[in-house]
Amino acid sequence: MFGDNLKTIRKAKGYTQEELAIKLNVVRQTVSKWEKGLSVPDADTLCKIADALETSISELLGSEINTEINRNEVAEQLAKISEQLAIKNRRSKKIWKIIGIILLTIIIAIIIWIALTMIAFNSYKFSGNSTVIEENVEEILHEEN
């Protein structure tokens, strides 16, 4: 909502992220995070953005706000947006954590399987069967002489 509106209005005014960032005294990455929905500005910065883009806060937020800007209402809306972002980030982290655990489990299972296969192969290779064959070969060679 806010991020898309900010990007659309910024482009319509002909500003790059860098130019808007300079007007707001922030780094370009901050503007990028706002547009991607990774973070939201505080109420004061939101007012500065509206002034820099010559637009209203309600247009930036994409909802109706009284013509008299009530900073508490703006702060409440920003808090709601921030909470939604936090929930989204928690879900994303949880999904990546589950994927990581699954991959780690698979890797450990493969390592255990390889280790057990090598142990089984080595125990078969060096079992008593090879000694019996060697004794039979020695008996056959001894009988021939």
Side-chain angles (χ1 to χ4, degrees), residues 2-145:
F2 168 73
D4 294 333
N5 292 347
L6 175 62
K7 185 176 185 178
T8 302
I9 296 168
R10 174 185 58 79
K11 285 185 175 185
K13 298 289 181 175
Y15 292 125
T16 65
Q17 287 181 343
E18 184 71 30
E19 291 169 338
L20 180 59
I22 291 169
K23 283 182 171 264
L24 300 172
N25 294 321
V26 297
V27 295
R28 184 202 55 80
Q29 290 82 355
T30 302
V31 176
S32 176
K33 285 182 181 181
W34 293 335
E35 290 182 357
K36 290 179 181 177
L38 299 176
S39 68
V40 292
D42 59 36
D44 290 333
T45 307
L46 185 61
C47 290
K48 290 177 184 176
I49 294 169
D51 289 341
L53 295 176
E54 299 172 351
T55 187
S56 67
I57 293 175
S58 61
E59 190 174 358
L60 281 171
L61 295 176
S63 62
E64 292 293 320
I65 296 180
N66 294 335
T67 53
E68 293 181 16
I69 300 171
N70 183 346
R71 289 184 186 255
N72 290 335
E73 290 179 25
V74 172
E76 286 177 21
Q77 285 191 349
L78 289 174
K80 288 178 186 178
I81 293 171
S82 183
E83 184 178 336
Q84 291 172 351
L85 288 172
I87 290 169
K88 180 181 171 184
N89 288 339
R90 281 195 298 268
R91 285 181 188 155
S92 179
K93 286 179 183 178
K94 190 174 185 180
I95 289 170
W96 282 111
K97 185 177 180 180
I98 290 170
I99 290 171
I101 290 170
I102 290 171
L103 288 175
L104 184 63
T105 304
I106 291 170
I107 290 170
I108 290 172
I110 290 172
I111 290 171
I112 291 171
W113 178 75
I114 290 171
L116 291 175
T117 303
M118 291 177 70
I119 291 170
F121 178 74
N122 288 336
S123 66
Y124 175 75
K125 183 177 176 183
F126 297 112
S127 67
N129 294 340
S130 63
T131 309
V132 172
I133 294 172
E134 289 173 4
E135 290 173 1
N136 289 341
V137 169
E138 287 178 13
E139 286 178 17
I140 293 171
L141 289 175
H142 184 66
E143 289 176 5
E144 289 179 0
N145 290 335

